[in-house]
């Protein structure tokens, strides 16, 4: 979630600042939704993104969307990854892999 953007110039500025963070492979900012989708080589702490925005000027803030920061999800990993698994031939295999 990005706050402080008021125009397309802000969007471009924020997108450029986030893209320059080491480990970021792509950053796409949606002005209307006030959010950024950031692809990265490894997990990058949100503080690194905030630092990049502060260093780039402007009054932009980045935060984790509320659906990921509720108390009921406290302590859970905030990232979800999808991996392709090969070699499974039945539900037994699936159960074994899940375990």
């Amino acid at each position: 979630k990005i706050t402080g953007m008021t125009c397309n110039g802000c969007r471009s500025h924020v997108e450029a600042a986030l893209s320059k963070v080491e480990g970021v492979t792509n950053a796409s900012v949606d002005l209307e939704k006030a959010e950024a989708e950031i692809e990265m080589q490894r997990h990058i702490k949100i503080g690194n993104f905030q630092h990049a925005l502060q260093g780039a000027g402007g009054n932009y803030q980045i935060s984790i969307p509320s659906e990921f920061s509720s108390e009921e999800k406290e302590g859970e990993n905030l990232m979800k990854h999808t991996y392709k698994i090969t070699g499974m031939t039945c539900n037994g295999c699936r159960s074994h892999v899940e375990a």
Side-chain angles (χ1 to χ4, degrees):
K1 188 79 176 164
I2 307 287
T3 58
M5 297 185 299
T6 58
C7 66
N8 207 34
C10 293
R11 182 204 57 79
S12 296
H13 191 78
V14 167
E15 200 168 78
L18 295 175
S19 294
K20 291 178 184 176
V21 173
E22 186 178 338
V24 171
T25 56
N26 186 46
S28 176
V29 177
D30 187 313
L31 179 63
E32 288 183 27
K33 293 181 181 179
E35 60 187 30
E37 184 173 294
I38 305 169
E39 297 175 21
M40 52 195 96
Q41 297 169 338
R42 56 175 167 45
H43 176 72
I44 300 170
K45 293 181 180 180
I46 197 162
N48 293 17
F49 295 119
Q50 185 59 49
H51 182 71
L53 291 177
Q54 289 172 347
N59 191 28
Y60 311 112
Q61 299 290 318
I62 187 169
S63 61
I64 297 171
S66 60
E67 66 264 21
F68 292 116
S69 60
S70 67
E71 288 182 11
E72 69 186 46
K73 293 190 177 198
E74 189 175 76
E76 287 185 21
N77 187 352
L78 299 178
M79 297 179 71
K80 178 181 178 180
H81 299 281
T82 302
Y83 298 96
K84 181 175 178 145
I85 306 291
T86 60
M88 296 185 296
T89 58
C90 65
N91 271 334
C93 294
R94 181 197 54 81
S95 297
H96 186 72
V97 169
E98 283 182 353

